[in-house]
Amino acid sequence: MDQKEHESARDVAVRLHEAAYEELPELARRYQDDSRKQVQAAVRRAQRRWEHERAERERVAGMYALQRELGGPGIVIGVDEVGRGALAGPLTVGAVALPEDPMIWGLNDSKQLTPERREVLAAEIADVALAIGIAHVPPETIDAVGMGNALRFAMAEAIQNAGIEPDCVLIDGNPIHAHPKEKTLVKGDARIAAIAAASIVAKVTRDHLMVELSKEYPAYGWDQCKGYGSKEHIEAIKVHGLTPYHRVSFCGHFVEGNTLF
């Protein structure tokens, strides 16, 4: 008697649900002729999951392929920033060099990912990356030199902090002139593996920092808004004024004067 006849429909459904991507085609073939409705429904779900994952892996493989095409065969560092439009907290830049293998499935522009997924991917990036560099520009420096200069300084520092000499630096957006070997690509954080990794690392790092700063100044809700201009954050500025972590040059519409604390 076939072993599958001894398996309950529920057990089969659980097995298909929990199976790894690589196992799904064989399992779906094994149970495709099982006449039980619960099994047939589970097979269809497994097939849809496999198709979705296949398309997702093709997307990510394309990000690595474009990285090779633009960056060449040497060491490629991807660079991206987070916090450019925030009212409080630093501008944070990540710089990441990834190996060709293993690929990190799920890489994407950090804004397209849930906070939970970003945390998982940041841990995977830390495990496999050839190098990671982080740089922060504090609010007072942003006020003093302007965002364009702050961004250039931070990208150059993050690349240096990666501690590895790149053959090419790929940066999201327009030319920055942060490194002599830089190339830029609009929407690169969704198109280049290393830039996506940099965007995730920068986002997770800065989010953690803003959660910690929120403990010092809880009225502003930075644990939720991460320093951006949410309605609650703006109302708190109007009531309490600015903290040392606010960008004064960004907050002129909301309050007059400098810090309250």
Side-chain angles (χ1 to χ4, degrees):
M1 183 177 293
D2 195 316
Q3 180 184 352
K4 67 183 180 183
E5 294 181 15
H6 292 290
E7 298 176 285
S8 70
R10 182 182 181 280
D11 288 342
V12 174
V14 169
R15 185 175 184 183
L16 286 165
H17 176 73
E18 296 179 348
Y21 166 77
E22 294 80 6
E23 299 174 312
L24 285 174
E26 180 181 348
L27 285 175
R29 284 193 297 270
R30 177 177 180 180
Y31 294 107
Q32 65 183 357
D33 296 327
D34 192 308
S35 62
R36 291 172 291 183
K37 291 183 179 179
Q38 186 176 359
V39 172
Q40 284 299 302
V43 168
R44 288 192 295 271
R45 287 193 297 270
Q47 290 170 332
R48 288 194 297 269
R49 179 159 69 92
W50 185 83
E51 288 291 344
H52 175 79
E53 180 66 16
R54 181 180 62 82
E56 175 67 7
R57 292 194 177 207
E58 287 180 357
R59 182 189 65 79
V60 173
M63 296 174 73
Y64 279 87
L66 184 57
Q67 178 174 305
R68 287 192 299 272
E69 178 183 338
L70 296 181
I75 294 174
V76 176
I77 288 182
V79 181
D80 200 14
E81 55 77 25
V82 65
R84 187 186 305 207
L87 304 180
L91 171 73
T92 299
V93 171
V96 176
L98 294 175
E100 283 287 321
D101 186 67
M103 291 186 183
I104 302 175
W105 305 120
L107 281 177
N108 205 342
D109 170 11
S110 63
K111 297 184 291 296
Q112 302 300 317
L113 302 167
T114 64
E116 295 77 17
R117 188 61 181 147
R118 285 195 295 264
E119 293 285 348
V120 171
L121 287 169
E124 292 186 31
I125 293 164
D127 284 342
V128 307
L130 301 175
I132 295 176
I134 293 289
H136 302 285
V137 180
E140 61 269 24
T141 301
I142 296 171
D143 287 333
V145 305
M147 181 55 70
N149 287 325
L151 184 60
R152 187 179 308 111
F153 299 156
M155 287 190 169
E157 182 179 352
I159 295 164
Q160 182 177 8
N161 289 344
I164 191 170
E165 185 61 34
D167 296 292
C168 182
V169 174
L170 298 178
I171 298 177
D172 180 41
N174 297 309
I176 300 294
H177 308 296
H179 193 277
K181 296 179 180 178
E182 80 174 45
K183 294 181 180 180
T184 58
L185 183 68
V186 174
K187 298 189 182 300
D189 48 7
R191 301 170 66 190
I192 300 289
I195 299 179
S199 77
I200 292 166
V201 169
K203 175 66 174 168
V204 169
T205 300
R206 187 180 184 279
D207 281 0
H208 288 178
L209 176 60
M210 295 309 296
V211 169
E212 288 303 308
L213 293 180
S214 183
K215 297 175 183 177
E216 188 175 352
Y217 295 100
Y220 299 87
W222 294 337
D223 56 329
Q224 297 298 315
C225 72
K226 307 303 186 288
Y228 286 87
S230 68
K231 179 180 178 181
E232 293 77 13
H233 185 189
I234 291 171
E235 287 302 316
I237 291 173
K238 292 177 179 179
V239 172
H240 301 291
L242 303 180
T243 73
Y245 298 112
H246 278 101
R247 305 171 187 178
V248 177
S249 59
F250 282 42
C251 299
H253 295 299
F254 312 126
V255 68
E256 295 182 1
N258 293 316
T259 61
L260 174 67
F261 294 98

